[in-house]
Amino acid sequence: NACLQRYPQINVVGMQRGMIMKEVAAMRELRMDAARLGMGPFKPWRQLTSGAHAVLLFLNLCDTVSLYGFTTYPSKGPDQYAGRAKKSSSGRQWHDWDGEALTYRLLHASGKAAICSM
């Protein structure tokens, strides 16, 4: 694994591919359900954000899931990850933050997750 080779001093834990594929399928279903309800538009996406992986994993493991800050991603301003003065455009090429936010709202409306940042 590239992460283990690059960071041998850090305990790296990865998800099994089967679980990742289940999460991707679940997100596709959520996006289709949200679109059927008139939510959207949804932009193309290549992969889930790490936050979406966490949310979908915890929905399977926990009795209750509460989210804070998952439904907002201002497109302008500093980058929250690397401390850059402005956001990288690559994040928008790989992720659909707005689309994920809509699916979280759908989870909230269905009673599957509590959202504190609507």
Side-chain angles (χ1 to χ4, degrees):
N1 181 316
C3 288
L4 292 173
Q5 291 174 359
R6 187 169 178 189
Y7 304 105
Q9 71 281 11
I10 297 175
N11 185 16
V12 177
V13 178
M15 292 174 52
Q16 292 183 349
R17 184 159 183 79
M19 184 60 169
I20 292 171
M21 298 312 293
K22 286 180 183 179
E23 289 180 350
V24 169
M27 181 58 76
R28 282 192 184 117
E29 289 292 324
L30 284 166
R31 289 166 63 97
M32 286 191 297
D33 289 344
R36 278 193 288 270
L37 291 170
M39 301 169 86
F42 290 94
K43 298 173 186 154
W45 59 291
R46 294 181 184 173
Q47 66 186 35
L48 297 173
T49 63
S50 56
H53 280 291
V55 169
L56 295 170
L57 176 66
F58 292 137
L59 285 170
N60 285 301
L61 297 176
C62 303
D63 293 331
T64 60
V65 175
S66 297
L67 306 174
Y68 179 80
F70 276 76
T71 59
T72 58
Y73 182 78
S75 58
K76 295 185 180 187
D79 184 70
Q80 73 269 33
Y81 299 113
R84 294 181 289 251
K86 68 178 204 171
K87 295 192 185 320
S88 168
S89 63
S90 64
R92 291 257 178 217
Q93 294 171 2
W94 286 92
H95 308 301
D96 179 14
W97 276 284
D98 297 331
E100 284 185 10
L102 291 173
T103 61
Y104 300 146
R105 291 178 184 193
L106 182 61
L107 289 171
H108 178 78
S110 67
K112 300 292 183 188
I115 297 180
C116 305
S117 59
M118 301 200 44

